[in-house]
Amino acid sequence: MKYALILVLFFVVFIWQSSSSSANSETFTQCLTSNSDPKRPISPAIFFSGNGSYSSVLQANIRNLRFNTTSTPKPFLIIAATHESHVQAAITCGKRHNLQMKIRSGGHDYDGLSYVTYSGKPFFVLDMFNLRSVDVDVASKTAWVQTGAILGEVYYYIWEKSKTLAYPAGICPTVGVGGHISGGGYGNMMRKYGLTVDNTIDARMVDVNGKILDRKLMGEDLYWAINGGGGGSYGVVLAYKINLVEVPENVTVFRISRTLEQNATDIIHRWQQVAPKLPDELFIRTVIDVVNGTVSSQKTVRTTFIAMFLGDTTTLLSILNRRFPELGLVRSDCTETSWIQSVLFWTNIQVGSSETLLLQRNQPVNYLKRKSDYVREPISRTGLESIWKKMIELEIPTMAFNPYGGEMGRISSTVTPFPYRAGNLWKIQYGANWRDETLTDRYMELTRKLYQFMTPFVSKNPRQSFFNYRDVDLGINSHNGKISSYVEGKRYGKKYFAGNFERLVKIKTRVDSGNFFRNEQSIPVLP
């Protein structure tokens, strides 16, 4: 009898919650309709979980298969905004109905914070992919770019207007502009021109009150915060105005690999001495992985050097033969091409392919995990050999070394929220990709083991991390009370933003004291 009563109560609660949820959903959509521009109806932009197009809209910008499983928490509704008023309505109604809103531009945040929740609470997604215009002004060397655009679209539409203008941003064309710029995105011209946030001059955003603000209206503090501190903590950024930079008609790229048997240790040891000090026009990334050795039963470490030089092949060879002869670069390793074609090269697309490939939003998707670090002191040869031994033991995780120096060392750490400038030699990205869901736990653990092993070789107090390489291993904010939220936020916030974290918190408290704009790693408010 006792258990029967419990069962009855369970079904009563379940039915009440279901009907309550349906009523709230209906009221929420009515609110959206009444708070958007009637000339731009929002109804076609709303996708419920039962809608036939819901799954395709949700999955279109999921870039990590770990968050596309049957057990992944799903939004009860997606707003694929096609007009600014839809964004305003989403904020107004999300606040009114006390619903968590996730903001997605390209979906490349590695731990899925723009479209999943770790709290188990109902949420909806504001998807920006329809707001993707790129308005290039060659005369002023600027462009207004909506945050739903992808980098490939930005590059393509700049190239359409000018063959000698570019934008110093990331190498992956399908990355969304919103998250990339607001988090301090970088690319292979950062040693010459700095980060994305060093090349923005204005923005348009919707604040917590549903008002559209430009730089003048929002003020310099808020503009500073959304220009490297992650726009999703302060409002919804609609567009950025960016500075375009000059590039030569032809640039030079190369990709060459060396294994341990080909003196990779000596080459990497020398790379870390010279890569941050080479001319600003030259960026040489190193990707390190484990491959089969010359004896099939043995594994070895392979280092792949991928370069971008804003100049011709002859000049590049002259520089490297003098400064970095250990690499052994020869003319046949180099490809001289246009800047737009170099974008394809860095995406592993054959040079000479159509530039329209940059407009494609679809790409192969894997299960993946990423982590990051910063290196401030060169690693000894003995240290490198210990790293190779550990990598061969783990076999799966890779590392990418991205050199700093140049313009990165000349910009103050407080000019934008992105703090890691002078004193950093290079940034590490740890990575693992896999195709079988059953391998998830193992591959995640292997990546964490390599990260842990690298502790003696990287920055300390705090151990620095790159905000755009979101990593929930650094901490998750449950937002249960302002005091605990601040403590939890500080745990990851100091690693991402160092001394700029407290200023970000003060701005957040001033512009969004109710903490409507939140996710598992957003900036908290002051208690």
Side-chain angles (χ1 to χ4, degrees):
M1 182 68 182
K2 175 182 177 182
Y3 295 109
L5 180 60
I6 291 173
L7 192 61
V8 169
L9 286 172
F10 170 80
F11 278 109
V12 168
V13 171
F14 175 81
I15 292 169
W16 175 82
Q17 287 180 330
S18 298
S19 61
S20 175
S21 175
S22 297
N24 284 338
S25 177
E26 182 181 3
T27 306
F28 180 58
T29 55
Q30 289 175 344
C31 178
L32 291 171
T33 302
S34 61
N35 282 277
S36 59
D37 186 346
K39 296 178 182 177
R40 304 276 187 158
I42 196 172
S43 298
I46 300 174
F47 298 88
F48 292 99
S49 56
N51 183 287
S53 301
Y54 170 88
S55 294
S56 61
V57 172
L58 176 63
Q59 294 172 11
N61 288 310
I62 293 179
R63 310 293 186 180
N64 187 346
L65 290 178
R66 286 198 293 124
F67 305 110
N68 194 16
T69 68
T70 54
S71 61
T72 302
K74 306 292 194 302
F76 73 88
L77 175 149
I78 301 169
I79 302 172
T82 58
H83 188 256
E84 292 177 347
S85 69
H86 300 169
V87 177
Q88 294 171 295
I91 294 169
T92 299
C93 299
K95 277 180 59 184
R96 187 175 298 172
H97 290 270
N98 195 28
L99 292 167
Q100 184 175 16
M101 181 176 76
K102 297 280 187 165
I103 310 163
R104 182 168 74 169
S105 62
H108 273 269
D109 52 331
Y110 287 139
D111 276 343
L113 301 187
S114 65
Y115 54 89
V116 299
T117 181
Y118 289 69
S119 69
K121 297 177 181 178
F123 70 104
F124 69 98
V125 168
L126 173 62
D127 213 327
M128 302 292 286
F129 69 90
N130 284 318
L131 298 175
R132 58 209 267 187
S133 69
V134 179
D135 185 11
V136 177
D137 184 349
V138 173
S140 64
K141 298 180 182 177
T142 62
W144 272 104
V145 181
Q146 286 189 307
T147 51
I150 57 173
L151 293 181
E153 291 168 336
V154 177
Y155 299 154
Y156 181 84
Y157 293 122
I158 294 171
W159 170 77
E160 264 196 334
K161 295 285 186 71
S162 171
K163 305 303 183 269
T164 56
L165 291 177
Y167 182 55
I171 64 167
C172 179
T174 57
V175 167
V177 163
H180 187 68
I181 294 181
S182 68
Y186 75 98
N188 55 24
M189 293 191 287
M190 71 174 181
R191 301 189 66 254
K192 176 68 174 178
Y193 293 114
L195 306 174
T196 54
V197 292
D198 302 320
N199 294 278
T200 60
I201 53 177
D202 204 344
R204 283 170 52 80
M205 67 169 287
V206 183
D207 72 2
V208 72
N209 298 312
K211 294 180 179 179
I212 296 179
L213 310 174
D214 61 8
R215 181 173 182 171
K216 182 178 180 180
L217 288 173
M218 73 180 75
E220 287 304 301
D221 260 5
L222 181 51
Y223 177 75
W224 178 85
I226 65 171
N227 200 38
S233 289
Y234 305 93
V236 179
V237 181
L238 300 169
Y240 284 99
K241 187 177 184 181
I242 59 175
N243 266 330
L244 307 183
V245 301
E246 295 184 358
V247 293
E249 289 189 5
N250 286 302
V251 301
T252 304
V253 293
F254 68 77
R255 182 186 291 110
I256 58 175
S257 296
R258 302 286 187 263
T259 63
L260 295 183
E261 294 76 17
Q262 297 169 313
N263 298 318
T265 302
D266 290 339
I267 299 171
I268 287 287
H269 190 260
R270 180 60 179 162
W271 173 92
Q272 64 182 345
Q273 310 288 336
V274 302
K277 299 176 181 178
L278 289 168
D280 298 357
E281 293 78 12
L282 178 54
F283 177 91
I284 306 177
R285 164 184 277 186
T286 302
V287 177
I288 305 167
D289 60 357
V290 175
V291 296
N292 291 326
T294 52
V295 178
S296 60
S297 60
Q298 295 180 346
K299 298 291 182 179
T300 190
V301 168
R302 175 178 63 183
T303 58
T304 301
F305 299 87
I306 314 165
M308 169 70 156
F309 177 59
L310 298 173
D312 59 66
T313 302
T314 300
T315 305
L316 173 63
L317 289 170
S318 174
I319 294 169
L320 290 183
N321 287 339
R322 185 176 71 256
R323 304 277 299 273
F324 194 12
E326 295 85 353
L327 186 60
L329 187 73
V330 297
R331 186 173 291 273
S332 60
D333 295 324
C334 303
T335 300
E336 202 168 302
T337 187
S338 63
W339 169 75
I340 196 71
Q341 283 288 320
S342 79
V343 177
L344 296 175
F345 173 89
W346 273 79
T347 317
N348 296 315
I349 297 174
Q350 186 175 350
V351 171
S353 300
S354 171
E355 292 83 1
T356 57
L357 290 173
L358 296 173
L359 302 176
Q360 294 183 1
R361 289 180 161 244
N362 296 326
Q363 66 172 26
V365 181
N366 296 300
Y367 297 87
L368 59 88
K369 177 60 183 174
R370 299 289 188 268
K371 300 177 75 66
S372 62
D373 259 324
Y374 287 84
V375 177
R376 298 179 63 86
E377 299 289 340
I379 301 173
S380 68
R381 184 175 274 100
T382 301
L384 289 173
E385 289 171 347
S386 71
I387 294 169
W388 308 153
K389 182 178 178 181
K390 188 65 177 181
M391 289 190 72
I392 290 173
E393 173 195 326
L394 299 175
E395 193 173 333
I396 300 302
T398 66
M399 289 193 290
F401 293 176
N402 297 283
Y404 272 39
E407 184 70 359
M408 291 297 292
R410 292 188 287 269
I411 299 174
S412 166
S413 62
T414 58
V415 169
T416 71
F418 179 91
Y420 302 126
R421 307 281 190 166
N424 292 282
L425 298 177
W426 73 87
K427 174 168 57 191
I428 301 175
Q429 178 178 201
Y430 305 89
N433 293 0
W434 60 99
R435 296 291 300 172
D436 184 347
E437 185 180 358
T438 62
L439 297 173
T440 295
D441 290 343
R442 176 170 173 257
Y443 279 40
M444 297 266 285
E445 185 60 26
L446 291 173
T447 307
R448 289 169 179 145
K449 284 183 176 179
L450 180 58
Y451 176 81
Q452 182 62 36
F453 183 83
M454 292 294 293
T455 302
F457 307 111
V458 299
S459 61
K460 300 170 180 65
N461 302 316
R463 185 172 183 173
Q464 302 166 179
S465 293
F466 179 36
F467 179 71
N468 270 2
Y469 291 171
R470 293 295 190 95
D471 180 6
V472 295
D473 293 348
L474 303 180
I476 287 179
N477 201 324
S478 57
H479 300 287
N480 289 325
K482 289 185 176 181
I483 294 177
S484 63
S485 175
Y486 174 78
V487 172
E488 291 170 353
K490 190 173 182 178
R491 189 172 297 123
Y492 56 79
K494 283 286 189 178
K495 294 176 181 178
Y496 288 140
F497 300 111
N500 292 330
F501 172 71
E502 296 298 344
R503 183 180 174 189
L504 288 169
V505 171
K506 290 177 182 177
I507 298 169
K508 166 71 172 181
T509 305
R510 178 172 59 82
V511 303
D512 183 23
S513 60
N515 198 27
F516 172 71
F517 296 109
R518 66 190 185 277
N519 60 52
E520 287 75 3
Q521 287 196 339
S522 57
I523 299 296
V525 297
L526 281 169

